[in-house]
Amino acid sequence: MTLAKRNTYNEDEKLNEHFNWHDYARLGHYLRPYSWRMLLVLGSILIGNIAVILGPYLMKVAIDSAIPQRNFQLLWLLGGIFLASLLVAFGCFRYRIWAITEIGQNLLIDMRTDLFTNLQQLPFSYFDSRPHGKILIRVVNYINTLSDLLANGLVNLISDIISLLVTLVFMFAINWKLTLDSLVLIPFLLIWAYYIQKKQRVAYRELSNKQSNLNAYIHESIDGIKVTQGFAQENNAIHAFDTVANDNRDSYMRAVKVQYALSPGVQNISTMTTALIYFIGIQQLGVVVSTGTLIAFLGYINNFWNPVINIGNFYNSLITATAYLERIFETMDEKPTVIDAPDAFALPPIKGDVRFNDVSFRYDDDGPLNLHDVSFHAQAGQTIALVGPTGAGKSTIINLLSRFYNVTSGTITIDNVDISQVTLKSLRTQMGVMQQDTFIFSGTIMDNIRYGRLDATDEEVIHAAKIARADNFIETLPDGYQTTVQERGGSMSAGQRQLLAFARVLLADPRILILDEATAAIDTKTEALLQAGLNELLKGRTSFIVAHRLSTIQQADQILVVNDGQIVEAGRHEDLLAKRGEYYELYESQYRMLQAE
């Protein structure tokens, strides 16, 4: 069996060279539900900015009018207005911070939910072709990075723009010539920002790759820690970690070096503008420009450049977040390949008659065929065993029956209904699948078994566990069925995990039962007990059993011998032995191994 190409932890992911800026418009989809809240925030920003910007103007009036005329009543009035403006600005700022934080968290949940929902619909091939750590970092880290940009950064941008416009209005009202003089260096700032953004995006694309690689390696090393320690390869693991960690550090330092190049440029231009206004204003002081006007104007220059600096920082964040946004949208845009047909209908209750009609399949569109014209008929209630060497295509056959993949050609029918024409939910809810890799969720043993049918009662859960012979070891645990197990069932033996997974499938009470190496990790004694329960369970159900232990499938109604993606032999145990073909050789080989033990 040829697997799909897999990206590894030390391989950088590739994206389009040019980012589609139109994708930023997609962010509006996440802001739309909070439009009215955003309007309130913008209103508070406008009121708060006007309150803050009143300060220099009040100072101008005080210096040019109230103080020279010794008008203390006007001076007290100006002071009262100034104090009120500070209180208004404080209240608006406080509301803005609270509202923005809440909106940001809601945006984070919305984006992460959409991303996670799409992941739930993607085919096995997507997860087979990339390290899970590279998927995890998109759902957690990248979304966290964007959340502040989408809420706080975006609203602050609007706040700064409003502040900038209001400040310009006051500046032009006071002295339009000085205002034009203060804008003379803006073109140099725009040229500098354009130059920096190109380098910054490339740097942060590289950083996102290295962060993804680091996360993938950590995830992989934790999953494989028992193998690492079992072969005493801790030093090699540490060396590999140092390599990806150093790559991440180096790319981060390069990215930060470029990012922080913008801020000094803005600061320098701001300082030169202030110096220019001092130079021009002092020359004209007392002739064209009054003392109060110059002092107020210098205050407004500061108010002008502060939002410019903030907008520059936001632009920095925007370019930085582009690399992460690309990854998020790339995952969101992954299209599920196994989906309901436009005219799909619900599969009615089935009896379990299964037919494979000239089914061929390949994992990659341009790859070789993994199954070649597979055809067989399983009558309702029959037990079908699939045997053959590793990689022959046995698991592929049952994965196609469950529609975890789409067939390349041919058809699969259940009760003469093409499964490609029915809804996935109606198909899979009538099938019970126990994969070769047993997975146990964090939670109680009761919850893990109940995952097969969420509305099952405790009595039904216990009954399924007894049939699967899992009850024997569950009762020995301190809390019995309420015992909490860790992720992947790390505190349990491989055999115990398989017994729990078996009970989970039995609880679903499926019409078609699929067991992929269901007894692989169970000892011979437990297997004999389990077989007794299985014999009762298999009655009246169509069952497909993938097994390497031929002793477990001798009573099957049909045994399909699979090799190199084809069914090379089919029949009952006795008939296949009589043929002295591939099944006979497999059986004799296992028999000799058992005799040698």
Side-chain angles (χ1 to χ4, degrees):
M1 179 177 69
T2 304
L3 295 176
K5 292 181 179 178
R6 182 176 175 87
N7 178 265
T8 59
Y9 73 84
N10 57 357
E11 181 180 348
D12 291 344
E13 298 175 286
K14 298 185 182 300
L15 285 172
N16 295 328
E17 288 298 320
H18 302 288
F19 177 72
N20 184 7
W21 285 91
H22 176 70
D23 282 349
Y24 271 104
R26 297 170 66 174
L27 299 181
H29 166 74
Y30 295 98
L31 284 169
R32 197 169 297 122
Y34 312 103
S35 299
W36 67 274
R37 296 286 304 278
M38 293 292 290
L39 288 175
L40 290 177
V41 171
L42 293 178
S44 70
I45 289 172
L46 179 60
I47 294 172
N49 282 337
I50 292 175
V52 169
I53 292 171
L54 274 177
Y57 181 77
L58 296 174
M59 185 178 295
K60 173 187 179 302
V61 175
I63 293 175
D64 287 346
S65 301
I67 295 176
Q69 299 174 11
R70 303 179 67 83
N71 188 343
F72 295 108
Q73 184 178 2
L74 177 59
L75 200 59
W76 278 106
L77 178 62
L78 293 174
I81 295 174
F82 182 67
L83 178 61
S85 69
L86 291 179
L87 293 175
V88 170
F90 172 77
C92 290
F93 179 77
R94 189 172 184 274
Y95 170 75
R96 186 184 76 179
I97 292 297
W98 173 79
I100 286 173
T101 301
E102 186 177 37
I103 292 172
Q105 288 303 307
N106 289 335
L107 286 173
L108 185 149
I109 292 174
D110 293 343
M111 287 196 73
R112 185 168 286 145
T113 299
D114 284 353
L115 187 58
F116 185 77
T117 299
N118 194 55
L119 286 173
Q120 297 302 300
Q121 303 174 47
L122 295 181
F124 285 2
S125 56
Y126 177 82
F127 302 96
D128 292 341
S129 61
R130 52 185 47 78
H132 294 174
K134 292 191 176 185
I135 302 173
L136 181 65
I137 196 173
R138 301 181 187 205
V139 181
V140 181
N141 300 54
Y142 291 173
I143 292 289
N144 285 342
T145 301
L146 284 177
S147 65
D148 185 65
L149 173 72
L150 294 180
N152 194 46
L154 185 60
V155 174
N156 283 340
L157 171 67
I158 298 172
S159 171
D160 290 324
I161 292 174
I162 292 175
S163 176
L164 191 64
L165 294 176
V166 173
T167 301
L168 282 174
V169 170
F170 274 81
M171 289 171 67
F172 273 107
I174 293 174
N175 191 306
W176 66 271
K177 288 184 178 180
L178 282 180
T179 302
L180 293 178
D181 291 335
S182 65
L183 300 177
V184 71
L185 297 179
I186 289 293
F188 295 97
L189 174 63
L190 297 177
I191 293 172
W192 180 246
Y194 179 76
Y195 172 76
I196 291 298
Q197 68 89 15
K198 284 189 172 182
K199 293 181 174 294
Q200 188 176 346
R201 178 171 177 264
V202 172
Y204 271 92
R205 278 170 58 99
E206 179 187 355
L207 175 60
S208 72
N209 272 332
K210 302 308 179 185
Q211 288 174 332
S212 183
N213 293 348
L214 177 61
N215 197 72
Y217 181 74
I218 293 173
H219 187 275
E220 180 180 304
S221 63
I222 291 174
D223 278 350
I225 190 66
K226 292 181 180 179
V227 177
T228 300
Q229 293 183 0
F231 286 92
Q233 294 296 327
E234 293 90 342
N235 288 337
N236 286 336
I238 293 170
H239 176 72
F241 174 80
D242 285 343
T243 300
V244 293
N246 287 330
D247 287 345
N248 181 73
R249 178 202 60 197
D250 294 342
S251 61
Y252 177 80
M253 294 305 298
R254 286 191 292 270
V256 169
K257 180 180 178 181
V258 176
Q259 178 183 359
Y260 289 153
L262 180 62
S263 184
V266 177
Q267 293 283 1
N268 289 336
I269 292 174
S270 170
T271 302
M272 287 188 287
T273 300
T274 303
L276 178 64
I277 296 303
Y278 265 117
F279 177 75
I280 296 174
I282 290 175
Q283 283 187 328
Q284 300 177 355
L285 189 64
V287 180
V288 179
V289 179
S290 67
T291 302
T293 297
L294 180 60
I295 292 174
F297 208 85
L298 290 172
Y300 282 125
I301 285 293
N302 185 57
N303 283 345
F304 173 80
W305 279 104
N306 278 339
V308 169
I309 292 171
N310 293 336
I311 291 172
N313 291 334
F314 175 82
Y315 184 70
N316 251 335
S317 301
L318 193 68
I319 298 301
T320 299
T322 295
Y324 303 125
L325 194 62
E326 288 177 296
R327 302 297 189 195
I328 292 170
F329 279 142
E330 179 198 41
T331 306
M332 284 188 180
D333 291 340
E334 284 284 343
K335 302 298 182 185
T337 56
V338 182
I339 58 176
D340 293 338
D343 56 348
F345 56 92
L347 181 66
I350 61 174
K351 297 179 180 177
D353 187 273
V354 177
R355 289 181 184 270
F356 272 59
N357 303 304
D358 298 320
V359 172
S360 296
F361 172 75
R362 56 167 55 91
Y363 283 96
D364 294 320
D365 292 338
D366 56 350
L369 285 173
N370 303 98
L371 290 182
H372 308 265
D373 299 320
V374 171
S375 297
F376 64 86
H377 176 210
Q379 296 180 16
Q382 283 191 333
T383 297
I384 311 299
L386 293 93
V387 300
T390 301
K394 306 182 296 297
S395 294
T396 302
I397 290 175
I398 62 174
N399 283 335
L400 291 176
L401 177 59
S402 305
R403 275 202 72 195
F404 292 134
Y405 300 94
N406 288 323
V407 300
T408 301
S409 62
T411 59
I412 302 173
T413 64
I414 297 178
D415 295 351
N416 295 320
V417 177
D418 188 343
I419 64 172
S420 66
Q421 300 302 313
V422 303
T423 62
L424 291 171
K425 184 175 182 179
S426 66
L427 171 68
R428 292 175 181 168
T429 53
Q430 300 190 66
M431 305 175 71
V433 182
M434 181 173 169
Q435 294 289 335
Q436 188 170 356
D437 297 325
T438 300
F439 191 92
I440 301 299
F441 295 94
S442 300
T444 67
I445 286 179
M446 181 74 75
D447 290 338
N448 264 282
I449 299 176
R450 187 177 277 121
Y451 200 83
R453 182 160 58 87
L454 297 180
D455 61 349
T457 64
D458 289 355
E459 291 73 19
E460 289 173 321
V461 170
I462 295 172
H463 179 67
K466 287 181 177 179
I467 295 178
R469 300 306 190 264
D471 182 73
N472 295 337
F473 85 85
I474 294 174
E475 291 296 338
T476 65
L477 299 174
D479 297 318
Y481 284 86
Q482 298 305 317
T483 300
T484 300
V485 293
Q486 302 302 318
E487 180 185 3
R488 293 183 177 273
S491 59
M492 304 167 64
S493 70
Q496 289 173 336
R497 291 196 297 270
Q498 280 198 307
L499 290 176
L500 283 187
F502 218 136
R504 180 193 298 162
V505 173
L506 302 185
L507 183 64
D509 193 26
R511 298 308 306 161
I512 295 178
L513 185 64
I514 297 175
L515 306 176
D516 188 354
E517 293 294 340
T519 61
I522 299 175
D523 59 81
T524 306
K525 180 179 179 181
T526 306
E527 183 181 349
L529 293 173
L530 180 61
Q531 196 66 43
L534 271 178
N535 291 338
E536 291 298 320
L537 176 72
L538 298 180
K539 290 180 180 178
R541 304 177 195 272
T542 306
S543 304
F544 291 84
I545 303 176
V546 177
H548 281 296
R549 295 183 188 177
L550 302 186
S551 59
T552 63
I553 47 90
Q554 294 182 14
Q555 303 303 316
D557 297 295
Q558 280 193 77
I559 297 175
L560 306 180
V561 183
V562 184
N563 198 352
D564 197 23
Q566 296 176 303
I567 296 178
V568 294
E569 288 182 349
R572 294 184 65 85
H573 172 72
E574 297 81 4
D575 298 333
L576 292 176
L577 286 180
K579 287 183 178 180
R580 290 182 171 267
E582 289 199 27
Y583 182 79
Y584 175 82
E585 293 178 2
L586 286 171
Y587 184 81
E588 284 295 305
S589 175
Q590 286 195 12
Y591 180 76
R592 286 193 296 269
M593 290 177 61
L594 292 173
Q595 290 291 99
E597 292 180 355

